[in-house]
Structures are given as structure tokens and as C-alpha cells.
Amino acid sequence: MSTQQVARAFVSLADTFDDTVDPAVLMQRLVAHCVTFTDSDAAGLLMVAARGELRPVAVSDDRDDLLETMRRQAVAGPCVECWLTGLPVQVDDLTSYAGAQPEVVRSALQAGHHAMHAHPVQVGHQTIGVLVLLRADAGPFDADGLHLAAAFAEVTAVALMQWRAQPLLAHDIVTRTQSVISARATLETAKGMLAAHARLTRAQATAVLAGYAREQGLRPGTVAHRLLSRTLPLDEVTGTEAPAAE
């Protein structure tokens, strides 16, 4: 596994502007990358439907036994626990879990899987699905691989939320690019105002603005816009009054 391979995998998960890419492609890429870059033998993705239930949407292999395992996991067991708690659930040996959910676990064991890791797929603080990793051998999964799978899931969740059925037109791209430039200009102007107001360096002003935004649960751009529109006092952000004129 090279750095370039991992980088290409991340790019493929974030590529929502390719006309050949849709949510099904992104989800399939996610489970495929998990098998390639972790020590799992198979992977699946469950998503939360509008009716408040998990549904299988992607598997790394279209084997009947893997599909059946995903269907079972959508009803009860480690994946449902992961969904309800919003926390990863790892079962190093499924035979030890069978006592709690024998019917659910049996399909995984019959398919040859003895270890399972369920990781929540989240947008903000809301869990929208569960990424499932399966392995033939019992025992803990490699920690680095789990971190990478979690990052893959996070990127995919963002991409799914940003995907749109209609591709961006050239005008849309120009408009969005200009919005980025304008937002940056607003941020830089606000930093200059803070620096002049409290006699801060540019770096200090950047830290002050970012710190205030974090404390208030706001985006830095929102704080910058309020500073420029004079709806947010400079003193409130810097915590100091302007120095007296000499």
C-alpha cells in the first residue's frame, strides 16, 4: 500500500463532479477500498432509510452469503448497536457474540467470517449508516486500517451529501469559484480589522478569529461577515478595547 494509492482512493471517493459517478458508485468504491486497504476480507455498507431502519446498499462481493449477512446485520446485532449509539462496535470473535444474537451472527459464521467491525457513517453528529468490515480470522483488526476505513467513510458521507443529479455547468463552476475568492477576501479583511483594532500580528488575528468562531460554534467566514457588517463588535472577538490614539 503506497501513499499514492491511498491518495487516489480518497480522490475517487470525493469525485462527485464526474458525470459517470453517482451515489451507488461512491458506496461501491467505499467498500472496495476498505477490503483493499485494511485487513478485512469483505465489507458492506448499511444506510438509514427514511422509515428509520438500516438497509444494505453496497457489498464488496455479490456472494449470496455476504448479502444475507448484511440483511441480517440490518435487523439486530453489532451494526444496529453501532447505529443506535453512534460508536464503533468491534467483535473480535463472533462465536462469543452468538449467545446474545444467535440468528444474526449465524449467517456471518456460515459465510466464514469470525471477526466484525462496525463503524458509524456520520454527517455532523447524525449517523446515516454503518460501515461493516468482516474477516475470516478471529482477533482484533489492525488499528491503522480501521483509522483509514473511518476516514474513507467520512469522506464518502460528505460526497454523498454534496452529490447532485444534475452536473454542474461551466457557469456554476465559475460562480462557485468566485464565491470562494470572495469568502477568502472577506476573511482577510476581517483579520486586518482585528489586527488594527487590538494591535495584533496577522497570525495572532487569525488565531483570535478562529478561536472565537470555535467557542461560539460558528464558521470563521460567518464571524468575518458579521465583523465587516458591524453587527459583531471587534471588542467582543478580541476581548480588548481599541488602544487609545496617541
Side-chain angles (χ1 to χ4, degrees):
M1 177 178 62
S2 68
T3 302
Q4 290 182 341
Q5 290 174 317
V6 173
R8 284 196 294 269
F10 275 113
V11 171
S12 73
L13 294 173
D15 188 8
T16 58
F17 299 122
D18 188 330
D19 293 343
T20 65
V21 172
D22 62 15
V25 171
L26 292 174
M27 293 185 291
Q28 197 60 44
R29 286 177 179 176
L30 170 61
V31 294
H33 289 333
C34 285
V35 173
T36 300
F37 294 103
T38 74
D39 59 345
S40 62
D41 299 316
L45 181 63
L46 308 173
M47 297 293 284
V48 181
R51 293 183 178 181
E53 58 188 11
L54 288 175
R55 291 187 181 177
V57 293
V59 289
S60 58
D61 190 326
D62 283 328
R63 301 191 328 265
D64 289 340
D65 55 1
L66 181 56
L67 290 170
E68 179 61 24
T69 296
M70 289 299 104
R71 283 193 287 267
R72 294 278 188 178
Q73 290 300 317
V75 178
C79 295
V80 173
E81 180 183 346
C82 173
W83 166 38
L84 296 177
T85 63
L87 298 173
V89 176
Q90 181 159 313
V91 183
D92 294 341
D93 187 351
L94 283 169
T95 58
S96 65
Y97 195 87
Q101 297 286 346
E103 293 298 326
V104 173
V105 175
R106 185 176 297 124
S107 61
L109 293 173
Q110 290 175 343
H113 305 299
H114 290 80
M116 175 183 294
H117 181 87
H119 188 87
V121 180
Q122 297 178 319
V123 175
H125 298 294
Q126 181 175 344
T127 300
I128 64 171
V130 176
L131 175 63
V132 190
L133 305 181
L134 296 162
R135 197 182 60 218
D137 296 331
F141 286 79
D142 175 68
D144 290 338
L146 293 180
H147 288 311
L148 192 56
F152 284 156
E154 186 172 346
V155 170
T156 303
V158 173
L160 289 173
M161 294 301 104
Q162 293 181 338
W163 181 82
R164 45 189 284 175
Q166 296 300 322
L168 286 176
L169 302 176
H171 174 72
D172 298 325
I173 296 174
V174 171
T175 300
R176 291 194 179 191
T177 302
Q178 185 57 47
S179 296
V180 171
I181 295 172
S182 298
R184 179 65 181 177
T186 299
L187 197 59
E188 291 303 315
T189 301
K191 291 177 186 177
M193 293 170 60
L194 292 171
H197 176 76
R199 294 182 178 177
L200 303 173
T201 65
R202 199 77 177 180
Q204 289 172 332
T206 299
V208 167
L209 192 152
Y212 179 85
R214 185 167 53 253
E215 291 173 0
Q216 299 299 317
L218 300 171
R219 296 175 179 173
T222 301
V223 176
H225 179 75
R226 292 179 182 179
L227 288 172
L228 267 64
S229 63
R230 307 294 181 181
T231 58
L232 176 62
L234 292 165
D235 292 345
E236 184 174 331
V237 178
T238 63
T240 61
E241 296 182 358
E246 297 180 354

